[in-house]
Amino acid sequence: MNVLLIGSGGRENAMAWKIAQSSILTQLYIAPGNPGTSTHGINVDINPLDFDKVKDLVISKNIGLVVVGPEDPLVKGIHDFFSIDKALKHIPVIGPKKAGALLEGSKDFSKRFMVRHGIPTAAFQSFKESSKKEAVEFLNSLTPPYVLKADGLAAGKGVIICNTLGDAIDTLNDFFEGRFGSAGEIVVIEEYLGGIELSVFVLTDGMSYVMLPEAKDYKRIGDGDTGLNTGGMGSVSPVPFCNGAFMEKVVTRIVDPTINGLKSDGIDYLGFIFIGLMNVDGNPYVIEYNVRLGDPETQVVLPRIQSDFLELLISASKRELSGLKVVFSKQCASSVILASEGYPGSYAKGKSIGGRLESDGAVLFHAGTKYGANGELITSGGRVFSAVGLADSHEESLANAYRLANAIEFKGKYYRKDIGRDLMFSSEK
Ligand code: AMP
Ligand code: GLY
């Protein structure tokens, strides 16, 4: 089968790497891909939001399955586009239609969904500018810190946590004054949940589902979880506290009601659900839903799947997930993101990349790289690479990831030095 993978980040490099290992793959195409994906398939330089161009590619390359990496094409309706086009509607798309993508595209929608289906989450209310007075009253009723979220997609920057009521009211004004554009026209204000975060990943065919390995992401730019939020600076899998008893609660209180809720709301959902959770004293609460895999979580989740990933995707597309079990590897995986100095603020691009791009026990995934005018590899983004270590213990997998991170050279290379350190002492390996 020929497969088209949509996207160009570290997540898509990891997906391309995994799909390319499948015995049933004929040819993988990636649109637009990056230099890392080009070692696993053929990159095609088109904008995934240009659905007509995607259509031409799918037809000319006889694609049998489309796998969507990022949320943007889903929220903008790539799956809906396929389902109403005569020439495309028989070609399955892994990723929900617009109605399901709202779980990520609108925080207000996803919070209402959780409440409707009895899924544990932080108490909340949503406000438009016309009800600013009520928003301030609601803030007054909460205890600090205060959590304010833009309703719409804001590239991971739409959540602001304020320590004082004054800051929270200023932030509310910022939202209504257009700091996040139309994404902030509705503001979700919610109760602060204290605990440890982790993410679980589900692949569903709308009727049944399989669980993929869980992961923990390190979101802040600085060591010790300090500084600005980023797309993610590293990740580990498995998560030591995610034992059988905790996962049982996740499945019965969160995953089952989510899949049943989609069904009872009449939302036909084919694709991944990435559930961001807070472990509050041993009980899971949903922080957010994403309608795709995470980046850099995918870089540690996929290496821990022993089953043929493409076969799993095809089973999902045929609505045949029921009864399937995904085989997980016992290995530990850790990723360390190599970023451009200045990220998540402004940073320089075009720095030449040297050093060694491989080392034992590790896999390198590209994110923000490209080939320069003379065919040399240069930086082109904030997150440049994920160095992923694999080994029998977290300690060794981290050592392998860091050895690779050290071996790569580019001007302004920055990475966190403490990925996984918080888990080492609580770890049961
Ligand atoms: P989100 O984009 O909704 O995942 O939020 C980004 C980050 O903000 C999360 O990963 C959490 O670290 C934090 N966060 C969001 N909602 C809450 C909450 N209700 N309580 C505590 N932290 C939160
Ligand atoms: N690493 C968080 C995300 O992909 O949203």
Side-chain angles (χ1 to χ4, degrees):
M1 173 185 282
N2 291 341
V3 175
L4 172 63
L5 171 64
I6 303 266
S8 62
R11 165 184 49 216
E12 286 76 22
N13 191 169
M15 292 171 90
W17 170 82
K18 192 71 184 171
I19 290 170
Q21 292 167 21
S22 172
S23 56
I24 50 175
L25 178 73
T26 310
Q27 180 64 57
L28 175 65
Y29 294 88
I30 311 98
N34 67 35
T37 63
S38 69
T39 56
H40 308 296
I42 299 172
N43 287 349
V44 185
D45 190 15
I46 57 168
N47 175 357
L49 296 179
D50 187 340
F51 298 161
D52 287 318
K53 288 237 168 71
V54 175
K55 174 177 175 176
D56 292 345
L57 177 66
V58 164
I59 289 173
S60 68
K61 302 298 181 194
N62 193 22
I63 300 293
L65 181 75
V66 178
V67 185
V68 183
E71 64 279 15
D72 214 23
L74 297 169
V75 172
K76 300 217 163 94
I78 192 166
H79 193 159
D80 308 67
F81 177 87
F82 270 65
S83 66
I84 54 172
D85 186 290
K86 269 203 199 102
L88 298 177
K89 66 178 178 203
H90 63 286
I91 300 167
V93 177
I94 301 291
K97 294 185 194 145
K98 267 184 175 180
L102 269 184
L103 278 185
E104 176 163 1
S106 166
K107 303 247 186 227
D108 179 48
F109 173 88
S110 75
K111 292 295 285 193
R112 288 177 200 280
F113 176 90
M114 289 180 240
V115 170
R116 188 159 63 245
H117 299 294
I119 296 165
T121 189
F124 86 106
Q125 285 189 29
S126 307
F127 302 94
K128 287 194 177 145
E129 191 173 11
S130 55
S131 50
K132 196 160 114 190
K133 194 165 144 272
E134 289 81 354
V136 173
E137 277 167 20
F138 184 59
L139 281 172
N140 258 308
S141 75
L142 299 173
T143 48
Y146 304 89
V147 183
L148 291 91
K149 302 184 174 183
D151 172 56
L153 289 184
K157 299 191 178 111
V159 176
I160 313 281
I161 299 184
C162 303
N163 287 321
T164 67
L165 186 60
D167 280 352
I169 293 171
D170 287 348
T171 302
L172 183 70
N173 286 325
D174 283 351
F175 274 107
F176 289 144
E177 280 159 19
R179 174 164 159 196
F180 298 96
S182 60
E185 276 169 16
I186 299 178
V187 178
V188 173
I189 299 178
E190 63 182 48
E191 166 199 21
Y192 179 85
L193 296 175
I196 309 176
E197 284 185 72
L198 80 153
S199 302
V200 299
F201 301 90
V202 178
L203 172 64
T204 180
D205 57 14
M207 329 235 262
S208 200
Y209 68 87
V210 290
M211 298 291 297
L212 307 180
E214 78 284 356
K216 185 175 193 300
D217 176 20
Y218 292 78
K219 288 197 166 75
R220 301 291 197 93
I221 187 69
D223 284 1
D225 285 331
T226 53
L228 293 174
N229 252 329
T230 69
M233 292 302 293
S235 55
V236 294
S237 179
V239 180
F241 64 79
C242 216
N243 53 24
F246 183 78
M247 278 315 278
E248 176 70 25
K249 292 182 192 170
V250 170
V251 165
T252 55
R253 297 180 191 176
I254 292 169
V255 182
D256 284 341
T258 298
I259 303 299
N260 291 334
L262 287 167
K263 266 191 264 182
S264 66
D265 286 355
I267 299 173
D268 176 31
Y269 196 113
L270 169 61
F272 299 103
I273 310 178
F274 154 6
I275 312 177
L277 297 175
M278 191 71 84
N279 174 356
V280 184
D281 300 328
N283 292 312
Y285 287 77
V286 177
I287 291 284
E288 64 165 353
Y289 288 113
N290 295 296
V291 299
R292 52 176 171 85
L293 291 176
D295 187 348
E297 291 89 336
T298 306
Q299 291 88 314
V300 294
V301 166
L302 295 188
R304 295 199 53 238
I305 295 179
Q306 279 179 346
S307 313
D308 186 310
F309 186 54
L310 180 55
E311 269 181 30
L312 266 178
L313 298 177
I314 292 172
S315 299
S317 75
K318 294 182 175 161
R319 319 262 165 179
E320 287 175 358
L321 281 182
S322 173
L324 276 187
K325 263 252 169 279
V326 180
V327 182
F328 296 2
S329 114
K330 294 244 178 317
Q331 280 204 312
C332 297
S334 318
S335 81
V336 174
I337 297 294
L338 306 191
S340 302
E341 188 175 11
Y343 173 80
S346 58
Y347 51 83
K349 294 183 186 175
K351 302 292 173 200
S352 54
I353 295 168
R356 264 186 312 109
L357 299 194
E358 58 187 5
S359 89
D360 287 346
V363 192
L364 186 66
F365 296 126
H366 294 233
T369 68
K370 68 174 192 179
Y371 290 114
N374 303 316
E376 78 287 15
L377 194 63
I378 58 175
T379 67
S380 68
R383 293 192 292 176
V384 180
F385 291 108
S386 342
V388 178
L390 301 169
D392 291 336
S393 68
H394 277 304
E395 286 81 352
E396 262 180 88
S397 82
L398 283 160
N400 290 346
Y402 276 113
R403 200 174 318 108
L404 178 55
N406 280 319
I408 298 166
E409 291 164 11
F410 59 89
K411 196 155 182 273
K413 176 179 83 170
Y414 169 82
Y415 57 92
R416 271 181 66 162
K417 310 288 187 301
D418 67 337
I419 302 301
R421 201 177 285 162
D422 56 331
L423 300 177
M424 299 287 224
F425 306 104
S426 62
S427 121
E428 56 204 45
K429 290 187 195 166

